[in-house]
């Protein structure tokens, strides 16, 4: 479906894939920061420290194998009041594997998340973001039928594009964000160069304009 070529998701994609969540309507000035592909030591913690300065809450779409490797960072995300979501166990592309393989990997991530949730948290947050934004008709149906919200985005920072200077990533966000936007960042080693600069700039700019940053509610 949608490739990550669009910084601002075009309206037609939102219309065609209208069962997916692209932005969240809000009366208040609210933005939804999201971070894909962690938890990663040396990156996710920096993100958490930065969010804390602005009292911002966010949503982290975690890769199951990274949760297994870095469970303490996963727990820290939750203990600081952020939300987490499924991003498959091994970052699979739905267009490159068959449906059963994809769903097994999705469920494997679901089990990893369940295993590492704090004992006080009984409900599994049913949020999913497909790696590369790629889904198929069958995977969309199966995942939505399991009661998940499929969280896409309307603004890409493109922080993972190492050839871009950080100023360009920040401009991507500043020029395309509006009330209710879901913005994508990556807490990955590849994105680190652009991530923190872009995140700090985004938080400073929109805080000054009276926005608050919330995590995505799974229910
Ligand atoms: Zn990803």
């Amino acid at each position: 479906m949608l490739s990550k070529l669009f910084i601002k998701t075009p309206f037609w994609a939102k219309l065609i894939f209208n069962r997916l969540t692209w932005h969240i309507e809000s009366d208040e000035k609210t933005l939804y920061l999201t971070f894909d592909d962690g938890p990663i030591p040396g990156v996710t913690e920096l993100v958490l420290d930065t969010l804390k300065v602005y009292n911002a809450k966010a949503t982290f779409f975690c890769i199951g194998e990274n949760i297994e490797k870095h469970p303490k960072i996963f727990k820290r995300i939750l203990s600081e009041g952020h939300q987490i979501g499924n991003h498959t166990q091994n970052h699979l592309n739905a267009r490159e594997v068959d449906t059963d393989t994809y769903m097994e990997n999705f469920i494997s991530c679901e089990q990893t998340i369940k295993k590492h949730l704090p004992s006080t948290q009984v409900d599994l947050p049913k949020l999913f973001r497909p790696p590369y934004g790629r889904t198929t008709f069958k995977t969309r149906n199966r995942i939505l039928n399991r009661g998940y919200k499929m969280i896409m985005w309307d603004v890409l920072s493109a922080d993972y594009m190492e050839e871009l200077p950080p100023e360009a990533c920040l401009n991507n966000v500043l020029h395309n964000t509006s009330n209710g936007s879901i913005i994508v960042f990556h807490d990955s080693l590849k994105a680190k160069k652009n991530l923190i600069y872009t995140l700090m700039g985004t938080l400073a700019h929109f805080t000054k304009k009276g926005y608050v940053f919330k995590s995505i509610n799974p229910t």
Side-chain angles (χ1 to χ4, degrees), residues 43-55 76 80 82 199 203:
V43 185
T44 308
E45 293 109 321
L46 264 180
V47 169
L48 291 169
D49 293 344
T50 309
L51 292 172
K52 204 181 274 180
V53 172
Y54 288 89
N55 197 24
R76 186 180 157 196
E80 295 186 5
H82 305 289
L199 176 60
L203 287 163

Side-chain angles (χ1 to χ4, degrees), residues 35-37 40-47 49-50 157-167 169 185-200:
F35 299 88
D36 290 4
D37 301 350
I40 295 292
V43 185
T44 308
E45 293 109 321
L46 264 180
V47 169
D49 293 344
T50 309
S157 64
D159 55 357
Y160 59 93
M161 294 177 77
E162 288 167 293
E163 66 275 23
L164 283 185
E167 293 81 6
C169 299
F185 300 92
H186 294 81
D187 50 335
S188 68
L189 291 172
K190 200 177 161 192
K192 190 177 176 183
K193 171 179 85 74
N194 289 329
L195 165 67
I196 299 302
Y197 177 90
T198 308
L199 176 60
M200 287 177 82

